[in-house]
Amino acid sequence: MADKLNELIEKIKNISETEYYKIKIHDEKPDLFDSKIGGLPYWVEGKDYPKDKDGKKLFLLAQINFDKEETSSPLPTRGLLQFFISDDDIMGVDYDNQTAQTNFRVIYHETINYAITEESIEKQGIPSSEKAENSPVSGQFKISLTKTKGYITIPDIKFEKIFKQAYEEVYGKKLNEDEKYYKVLKSEEENKIEDGLNSESNSGYHRMLGYAYFTQEDPRYQKKYENYDTLLFQLDSESKYIIWGDLGIANFFIHKKDLEEKNFSNVLYNWDCS
């Protein structure tokens, strides 16, 4: 049985393997144009700056400078993508409507003006995240992207389908719709699969693309969110840099077609903690 379970784990990995971009956090202060978490955002004078429902300016959670990163479709290959959230105790999320960009915003700049200075941005009254009372990021840090391969973990909504395919191939038995993985597996088997999928090669949940991770439940189990098929950006807790509530994790999801068309007006924002 142990051999079969190991075979099942490897089959799940094989079926679900995909490319994504791992985000590395560097222990150094970034400049205005770097890919980074926290700090002062790049901004163009004359462009309407994002505000929350009360008219208060949002602060920068993260920005990705694709001019400086080696990326390929469906991600942009040029320009700057930014994630903003509000300075409130739930950090901009609306659990009743997680796609309403009211207290969060995702903004894409197709081109970057490298002549802009921090002083010009500060004169516009644009805040640094370091002045926010409720920022999950402690400070500001340069980040970089590295393309790598990984596979699914149990919390992702796509796990059930992949598990059933792998189970049928390994055990020769087709599972019906009601036979969920947690009904089929014993608790110790489920734990072993979870450990196997959370191996070192699949660790590090700061990422773009690939599969999502949650401390609770994937919001895409709600029918209204099921079509947000692509993980745009994910930022995990990391005690030195980032804390989402009680060591939680944040995710931004998008339709793949919207991502390919660089349309960031329809994004699902979620964070949860244990």
Side-chain angles (χ1 to χ4, degrees), residues 102-133:
T102 304
N103 287 349
F104 83 94
R105 209 86 84 250
V106 181
I107 292 175
Y108 177 62
H109 305 259
E110 287 194 40
T111 59
I112 303 170
N113 180 354
Y114 288 97
I116 289 176
T117 64
E118 290 189 3
E119 290 75 19
S120 69
I121 291 172
E122 289 168 346
K123 284 180 180 178
Q124 299 176 57
I126 293 173
S128 168
S129 68
E130 293 179 294
K131 296 181 180 179
E133 295 180 4

Side-chain angles (χ1 to χ4, degrees), residues 15-50:
I15 293 171
S16 68
E17 186 177 77
T18 189
E19 289 185 335
Y20 72 95
Y21 293 86
K22 180 177 285 191
I23 297 173
K24 181 178 180 180
I25 300 176
H26 302 272
D27 196 5
E28 61 181 279
K29 186 176 178 179
D31 66 29
L32 184 62
F33 306 102
D34 280 332
S35 298
K36 61 184 178 179
I37 54 172
L40 188 70
Y42 166 87
W43 200 255
V44 179
E45 190 172 358
K47 185 180 178 72
D48 288 340
Y49 188 82

Side-chain angles (χ1 to χ4, degrees), residues 139-178:
Q140 55 175 308
F141 304 93
K142 185 176 180 179
I143 60 176
S144 60
L145 306 183
T146 303
K147 183 183 278 190
T148 187
K149 291 183 178 180
Y151 30 82
I152 199 162
T153 55
I154 289 177
D156 191 290
I157 192 173
K158 299 170 186 173
F159 178 78
E160 191 69 59
K161 180 179 179 181
I162 290 170
F163 172 79
K164 287 182 176 179
Q165 181 183 343
Y167 190 91
E168 182 178 358
E169 292 185 24
V170 172
Y171 292 94
K173 178 187 175 184
K174 188 177 180 69
L175 299 175
N176 62 45
E177 191 168 335
D178 292 333

Side-chain angles (χ1 to χ4, degrees), residues 1-262:
M1 286 297 290
D3 289 344
K4 279 288 186 183
L5 192 63
N6 289 331
E7 186 180 346
L8 178 62
I9 293 169
E10 292 307 310
K11 182 62 70 173
I12 292 170
K13 291 179 180 180
N14 180 261
I15 293 171
S16 68
E17 186 177 77
T18 189
E19 289 185 335
Y20 72 95
Y21 293 86
K22 180 177 285 191
I23 297 173
K24 181 178 180 180
I25 300 176
H26 302 272
D27 196 5
E28 61 181 279
K29 186 176 178 179
D31 66 29
L32 184 62
F33 306 102
D34 280 332
S35 298
K36 61 184 178 179
I37 54 172
L40 188 70
Y42 166 87
W43 200 255
V44 179
E45 190 172 358
K47 185 180 178 72
D48 288 340
Y49 188 82
K51 299 176 181 177
D52 67 16
K53 61 182 177 59
D54 298 319
K56 185 177 178 180
K57 290 184 173 70
L58 305 182
F59 67 84
L60 180 70
L61 172 64
Q63 68 181 31
I64 311 297
N65 185 339
F66 292 104
D67 289 1
K68 296 186 176 185
E69 307 292 342
E70 294 185 9
T71 53
S72 58
S73 181
L75 290 181
T77 56
R78 296 188 64 186
L80 190 79
L81 183 64
Q82 296 176 310
F83 300 84
F84 295 90
I85 60 177
S86 66
D87 187 8
D88 58 38
D89 58 0
I90 54 173
M91 293 177 282
V93 71
D94 179 352
Y95 292 109
D96 293 324
N97 186 356
Q98 292 182 244
T99 62
Q101 292 196 39
T102 304
N103 287 349
F104 83 94
R105 209 86 84 250
V106 181
I107 292 175
Y108 177 62
H109 305 259
E110 287 194 40
T111 59
I112 303 170
N113 180 354
Y114 288 97
I116 289 176
T117 64
E118 290 189 3
E119 290 75 19
S120 69
I121 291 172
E122 289 168 346
K123 284 180 180 178
Q124 299 176 57
I126 293 173
S128 168
S129 68
E130 293 179 294
K131 296 181 180 179
E133 295 180 4
N134 298 285
S135 174
V137 181
S138 178
Q140 55 175 308
F141 304 93
K142 185 176 180 179
I143 60 176
S144 60
L145 306 183
T146 303
K147 183 183 278 190
T148 187
K149 291 183 178 180
Y151 30 82
I152 199 162
T153 55
I154 289 177
D156 191 290
I157 192 173
K158 299 170 186 173
F159 178 78
E160 191 69 59
K161 180 179 179 181
I162 290 170
F163 172 79
K164 287 182 176 179
Q165 181 183 343
Y167 190 91
E168 182 178 358
E169 292 185 24
V170 172
Y171 292 94
K173 178 187 175 184
K174 188 177 180 69
L175 299 175
N176 62 45
E177 191 168 335
D178 292 333
E179 291 180 291
K180 307 296 185 184
Y181 74 88
Y182 52 83
K183 294 181 180 179
V184 174
L185 299 170
K186 297 176 183 177
S187 59
E188 59 267 26
E189 293 174 327
E190 185 178 338
N191 290 338
K192 187 169 183 180
I193 289 177
E194 185 174 16
D195 290 342
L197 297 178
N198 289 343
S199 66
E200 184 178 351
S201 61
N202 201 41
S203 64
Y205 293 121
H206 312 305
R207 61 181 59 182
M208 301 187 80
L209 306 182
Y211 297 104
Y213 192 80
F214 310 88
T215 60
Q216 294 190 30
E217 185 177 75
D218 192 331
R220 295 173 297 171
Y221 279 109
Q222 299 180 60
K223 190 171 181 61
K224 62 183 177 179
Y225 300 140
E226 63 185 6
N227 291 325
Y228 291 83
D229 55 7
T230 301
L231 179 62
L232 176 60
F233 179 72
Q234 181 168 272
L235 196 62
D236 199 359
S237 288
E238 189 170 321
S239 58
K240 186 177 179 181
Y241 307 106
I242 312 155
I243 299 290
W244 293 96
D246 186 12
L247 295 178
I249 189 167
N251 342 83
F252 293 81
F253 298 96
I254 192 170
H255 299 278
K256 186 178 180 182
K257 184 173 185 293
D258 284 341
L259 177 56
E260 291 171 339
E261 295 176 353
K262 302 179 183 63

